[in-house]
Amino acid sequence: MSDISLTASMRSNLLSLQNTQSLMDTTQERLSTGKKVNSALDNPSSFYTAQSLTNRASDLSSLLDSMGQGIQTIKAADEAITSITEFVQQAKAIANQARDEADKSSVTSTGEIKAETNANAKLKIGNKELTVKLADTDNDATKVAQKIQAAITGDTGGVAGKYTAAASADGKSIVIKIANGAEVEAASVSFEGAGIKISGTLEDNRASYVDRYNDILTQIDQLAKDAGYKGINLLGGEDQSLTVVFNEDRSSSLTIQGVDGSAAGLGLTPETDWSENTAIDAVLTKIDSAVSTLRSMSSEFGNNYSVVQTREEFTENLINVLEEGSDKLTLADMNEESANMLALQTRQQLAINSLSLASQASQSVLKLF
């Protein structure tokens, strides 16, 4: 206050006390916040540099969450591949069991074919007896087979559609077998024409294996559809993909292309007839190829998983580096600030005592009254 006059000594001590209080305020702020730079007024260069480092660390932290979700998406696909592989192995076991099952789904003629013109023969399948007209067959296995097939096709008592007749590949015998996809009970077959004899048992032992195999393919399709994570299914086909971003300006990323994990995508299709060993052998070849495809998928996803995981660990370490760098620019040394506070408190007490002494000269005037 300009209206109050202070001695030079008192004014000097008062100024010292005010400076000490200002320093104490600054020190108290540092002790309470733990920072030596709390605003741009404290140190513009350090404040803005630290803020830049902190902002980048924050941006990377959001990407870190995205990387974690990307890892989970890959893991979901990899887990599905493992389960699909087990299904494929199960399908292989079913096919092998069917392959080992005795093939009683066909009977073949033996001996020389000498079909007499205009002769008739009896074909008996189970309890059904059919008449086969052998006219104009001329000892030809193909023509004889066609006559037998015509008799089977013309029957209305349940034989038609369940059995077929055809000449063998070498044209020297006739084969009667269960029609593709037909389900029949065991039936004895006998046929005797002029120079032709067919006898045996038709039993569709492999039909149940076909059904079980097709059921496994259905399970593979359903599992592949269920392999999605947060709307992305890496086993849902090539139109599905996952892009994982690794840095704040999106210049570093990894795109993981989806694959077709369904049965069809693995080259496996539903079966209808395993009466011939060659049909089962073809399926086993497809299964081996499917297993190889699954292993390749698993290897690819495993490699991508490793890449994303490595980048996630690097990002975590980089965030720590950025935050540490920011802290070095702004954090206060609490030991030093505590010592400063103690020193300032001592200085403040001394200044108060000094101001008291300086004011004693003025107080002595009172003794005159």
Side-chain angles (χ1 to χ4, degrees):
M1 297 176 64
S2 58
D3 294 337
I4 300 175
S5 299
L6 299 176
T7 65
S9 177
M10 291 179 65
R11 190 172 295 281
S12 175
N13 282 290
L14 180 60
L15 183 60
S16 175
L17 186 61
Q18 290 173 337
N19 289 337
T20 299
Q21 184 60 50
S22 176
L23 291 173
M24 287 183 69
D25 291 342
T26 301
T27 303
Q28 284 177 338
E29 183 182 23
R30 291 176 178 178
L31 287 171
S32 62
T33 63
K35 294 183 177 181
K36 64 182 178 182
V37 179
N38 289 284
S39 68
L41 298 177
D42 297 329
N43 187 323
S45 176
S46 295
F47 178 79
Y48 288 116
T49 301
Q51 191 175 57
S52 175
L53 294 174
T54 301
N55 290 340
R56 187 184 178 198
S58 177
D59 292 341
L60 290 176
S61 292
S62 347
L63 292 176
L64 199 60
D65 295 337
S66 175
M67 291 179 210
Q69 293 305 301
I71 287 176
Q72 294 305 113
T73 304
I74 298 171
K75 284 178 68 175
D78 188 63
E79 290 292 340
I81 288 175
T82 300
S83 297
I84 290 174
T85 301
E86 293 178 2
F87 276 139
V88 172
Q89 294 292 359
Q90 189 175 343
K92 184 175 183 179
I94 292 172
N96 280 324
Q97 288 174 353
R99 183 69 169 78
D100 295 337
E101 186 71 34
D103 183 9
K104 297 180 181 178
S105 61
S106 64
V107 290
T108 305
S109 66
T110 57
E112 187 178 357
I113 297 177
K114 294 181 179 179
E116 296 179 0
T117 302
N118 298 324
N120 291 333
K122 296 295 182 180
L123 169 66
K124 189 174 182 180
I125 300 180
N127 59 2
K128 188 71 177 180
E129 188 174 273
L130 306 176
T131 298
V132 180
K133 298 179 180 181
L134 299 176
D136 302 322
T137 50
D138 301 324
N139 301 329
D140 187 315
T142 300
K143 291 181 179 180
V144 173
Q146 289 173 347
K147 295 290 184 177
I148 296 174
Q149 181 62 51
I152 292 173
T153 303
D155 177 69
T156 58
V159 175
K162 292 185 177 180
Y163 305 95
T164 61
S168 62
D170 58 8
K172 295 181 180 180
S173 58
I174 300 166
V175 180
I176 298 176
K177 66 178 182 177
I178 297 173
N180 290 352
E183 296 184 6
V184 301
E185 297 179 357
S188 60
V189 178
S190 62
F191 175 84
E192 287 195 34
I196 308 169
K197 184 176 181 179
I198 304 174
S199 62
T201 301
L202 289 173
E203 184 176 350
D204 193 2
N205 290 346
R206 293 175 172 177
S208 63
Y209 292 103
V210 172
D211 292 338
R212 277 184 274 170
Y213 175 82
N214 290 336
D215 288 343
I216 292 297
L217 297 192
T218 300
Q219 290 300 318
I220 290 174
D221 289 340
Q222 292 177 355
L223 197 152
K225 290 179 181 178
D226 294 338
Y229 182 87
K230 292 186 67 176
I232 298 177
N233 186 353
L234 292 177
L235 298 186
E238 294 184 358
D239 59 332
Q240 295 283 312
S241 64
L242 170 68
T243 299
V244 183
V245 179
F246 296 133
N247 62 358
E248 64 275 20
D249 63 1
R250 307 183 71 85
S251 62
S252 177
S253 63
L254 173 67
T255 298
I256 303 167
Q257 192 64 45
V259 296
D260 189 352
S262 66
L266 298 174
L268 305 177
T269 54
E271 297 295 321
T272 57
D273 178 27
W274 276 359
S275 60
E276 301 293 338
N277 289 337
T278 53
I280 300 177
D281 291 340
V283 170
L284 289 171
T285 299
K286 292 179 181 178
I287 289 175
D288 289 338
S289 177
V291 171
S292 178
T293 299
L294 286 167
R295 288 174 179 170
S296 177
M297 290 179 182
S298 181
S299 176
E300 183 67 23
F301 284 133
N303 180 66
N304 290 327
Y305 175 87
S306 180
V307 170
V308 178
Q309 190 175 48
T310 300
R311 288 304 302 257
E312 182 185 39
E313 292 174 356
F314 166 75
T315 302
E316 288 175 346
N317 293 331
L318 181 58
I319 289 173
N320 288 335
V321 170
L322 294 171
E323 291 178 342
E324 183 180 354
S326 175
D327 290 343
K328 285 184 176 181
L329 292 170
T330 60
L331 289 186
D333 185 337
M334 302 305 286
N335 292 326
E336 180 182 354
E337 297 303 329
S338 297
N340 288 340
M341 178 58 75
L342 181 60
L344 289 170
Q345 287 173 342
T346 302
R347 184 189 299 180
Q348 184 184 50
Q349 190 62 45
L350 290 172
I352 291 173
N353 292 337
S354 180
L355 181 59
S356 177
L357 292 173
S359 65
Q360 287 180 2
S362 298
Q363 290 175 357
S364 63
V365 176
L366 296 174
K367 294 178 181 180
L368 298 176
F369 299 96

